[in-house]
């Protein structure tokens, strides 16, 4: 019994030492874990973007890829003449879209389908919007030359083809009034029934318009009234020489469209001009497509007639 007690007393200091060593290792490992945890947190924080307590969290990848349209816009600074007073800022978004529709590589291949209709509509709206300041629906020859050059330079600076005048057959004369005798906004509104014009063309259902041609007939009527003003002017100075009447009506049609564009927002005006252009293309196509378009219009007319008849019965 005494021997067993003596052995237990001999092992007691050893157990105490081992216990102290274990406690030391446990504390050290805990401290090492906390230290390594702090270091890892700091490393993790270094990889993450800084987040202010009062600001919204930022994305993990702050540097996003550029817009796919970036190469097509603001490529170069255009060299403008400084002699054109037209309000390019009024159609800034349309000009950006035109530069995309007339990209340098694709413009020759998409000329009649996309590029040129968009280009022509933008020019019409540009002159129409500028008439709010100038009160004129046409430019003189010199001014037209400078403005068309500046217009093209701005588009080229945004990535458009540098030969748009040739591709779309646009000349400075397209910005003038040609042989149309009326170029002033006030005189236009005295000659044409403005309220009737807007009622027919401000809002269009192009499925109906391409067949019924309500707005197109109103435009033709207005252009004819403007063209007839030339007869009054020629009779006053005793002259009996008249230019081709159809050419005069065509020139007055441009004046009419510019006035319409001045009364609408640019996006709305663009939609109407592009829609009317599509109607013109469909009507002018030859062969089977033209025949199918006529058949479609005949079916549309029959459908409209049946609707009226059913309403009358009910």
């Amino acid at each position: 019994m005494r021997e067993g007690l003596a052995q237990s007393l001999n092992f007691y200091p050893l157990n105490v030492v081992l216990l102290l060593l274990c406690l030391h290792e446990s504390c050290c490992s805990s401290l090492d874990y906390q230290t390594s945890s702090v270091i890892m947190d700091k490393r993790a924080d270094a990889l993450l973007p800084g987040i202010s307590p009062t600001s919204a969290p930022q994305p993990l990848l702050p540097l996003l890829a550029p817009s796919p349209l970036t190469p097509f816009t603001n490529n170069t600074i255009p060299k403008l003449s400084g002699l054109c007073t037209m309000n390019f800022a009024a159609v800034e978004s349309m000009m950006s879209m035109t530069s995309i529709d007339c990209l340098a590589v694709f413009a020759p291949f998409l000329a009649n389908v996309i590029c040129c209709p968009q280009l022509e509509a933008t020019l019409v709206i540009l002159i129409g919007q500028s008439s709010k300041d100038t009160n004129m629906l046409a430019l003189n020859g010199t001014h037209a030359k400078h403005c068309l050059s500046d217009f093209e330079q701005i588009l080229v600076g945004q990535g458009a083809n540098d030969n748009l005048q040739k591709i779309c057959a646009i000349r400075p004369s397209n910005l003038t009034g040609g042989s149309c005798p009326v170029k002033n906004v006030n005189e236009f509104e005295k000659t044409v029934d403005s309220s009737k014009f807007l009622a027919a063309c401000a809002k269009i259902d192009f499925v109906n318009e391409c067949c019924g041609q309500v707005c197109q007939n109103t435009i033709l009527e207005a252009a004819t009234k403007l063209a007839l003003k030339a007869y009054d002017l020629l009779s006053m100075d005793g002259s009996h020489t008249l230019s081709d009447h159809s050419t005069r009506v065509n020139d007055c049609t441009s004046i009419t469209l510019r006035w319409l564009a001045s009364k609408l927002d640019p996006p709305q005006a663009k939609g109407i001009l592009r829609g009317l252009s599509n109607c013109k293309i469909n009507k002018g196509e030859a062969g089977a497509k033209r025949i199918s378009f006529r058949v479609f219009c005949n079916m549309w007319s029959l459908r409209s007639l049946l609707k009226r008849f059913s309403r009358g019965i009910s």
Side-chain angles (χ1 to χ4, degrees):
M1 183 71 180
R2 289 180 180 179
E3 291 178 0
L5 180 61
Q7 289 179 356
S8 63
L9 290 174
N10 289 336
F11 281 106
Y12 180 75
L14 181 60
N15 291 335
V16 171
V17 172
L18 291 174
L19 179 61
L20 292 175
L21 287 174
C22 289
L23 290 174
H24 175 73
E25 289 295 328
S26 176
C27 292
C28 289
S29 62
S30 177
L31 290 173
D32 290 341
Y33 173 78
Q34 292 177 1
T35 304
S36 62
S37 177
V38 171
I39 293 172
M40 291 297 293
D41 289 343
K42 288 183 178 180
R43 289 177 180 175
D45 290 342
L47 295 175
L48 293 173
I51 301 176
S52 172
T54 58
S55 63
Q58 298 299 315
L60 183 61
L61 300 175
L63 297 178
L64 300 178
S67 168
L69 297 182
T70 299
F72 308 141
T73 57
N74 298 326
N75 289 342
T76 60
I77 299 176
K79 297 180 180 179
L80 304 182
S81 65
L83 301 174
C84 179
T85 59
M86 298 187 72
N87 187 9
F88 290 107
V91 294
E92 182 178 1
S93 61
M94 275 198 67
M95 293 186 68
S96 298
M97 181 59 67
T98 304
S99 67
I100 295 172
D101 289 345
C102 298
L103 285 177
V105 178
F106 302 111
F109 305 101
L110 302 175
N112 295 328
V113 180
I114 297 177
C115 174
C116 296
Q118 175 72 14
L119 180 69
E120 292 166 2
T122 304
L123 279 172
V124 170
I125 296 171
L126 175 60
I127 298 175
Q129 292 293 317
S130 297
S131 70
K132 295 178 181 179
D133 301 321
T134 64
N135 204 41
M136 296 298 295
L137 297 167
L139 309 181
N140 61 46
T142 304
H143 198 200
K145 182 179 180 180
H146 293 306
C147 288
L148 183 58
S149 175
D150 289 353
F151 178 78
E152 187 175 31
Q153 286 297 317
I154 294 173
L155 295 182
V156 171
Q158 295 178 345
N161 192 290
D162 60 358
N163 200 20
L164 291 178
Q165 293 190 39
K166 182 177 181 180
I167 292 173
C168 296
I170 298 292
R171 297 177 293 275
S173 59
N174 295 117
L175 278 67
T176 67
S179 59
C180 185
V182 178
K183 302 175 180 66
N184 183 277
V185 173
N186 295 333
E187 189 175 359
F188 177 95
E189 293 177 351
K190 290 179 181 178
T191 307
V192 176
D193 188 345
S194 304
S195 59
K196 178 184 176 182
F197 190 5
L198 285 175
C201 295
K203 294 181 179 180
I204 299 177
D205 178 355
F206 285 104
V207 175
N208 298 340
E209 175 59 33
C210 289
C211 296
Q213 302 181 14
V214 176
C215 177
Q216 296 170 81
N217 290 336
T218 305
I219 291 173
L220 179 60
E221 179 184 347
T224 303
K225 284 185 177 181
L226 298 180
L228 291 175
K229 295 281 290 185
Y231 292 87
D232 298 335
L233 296 174
L234 290 172
S235 63
M236 289 175 60
D237 63 8
S239 174
H240 298 285
T241 303
L242 296 175
S243 62
D244 183 30
H245 180 69
S246 61
T247 301
R248 194 186 302 278
V249 171
N250 287 335
D251 292 339
C252 289
T253 299
S254 298
I255 297 293
T256 303
L257 293 175
R258 294 168 190 171
W259 181 87
L260 177 63
S262 71
K263 300 301 178 183
L264 305 174
D265 293 332
Q268 184 182 4
K270 185 194 80 168
I272 290 173
L273 293 174
R274 292 297 302 272
L276 293 175
S277 175
N278 290 337
C279 288
K280 184 177 179 181
I281 292 173
N282 290 333
K283 187 172 64 174
E285 286 181 344
K289 289 185 178 180
R290 185 172 182 177
I291 294 172
S292 63
F293 180 72
R294 287 179 177 175
V295 171
F296 170 77
C297 287
N298 290 335
M299 291 177 63
W300 172 83
S301 299
L302 179 61
R303 180 169 172 265
S304 299
L305 184 61
L306 289 173
K307 277 188 175 181
R308 293 177 185 176
F309 181 73
S310 62
R311 288 174 185 173
I313 293 176
S314 59

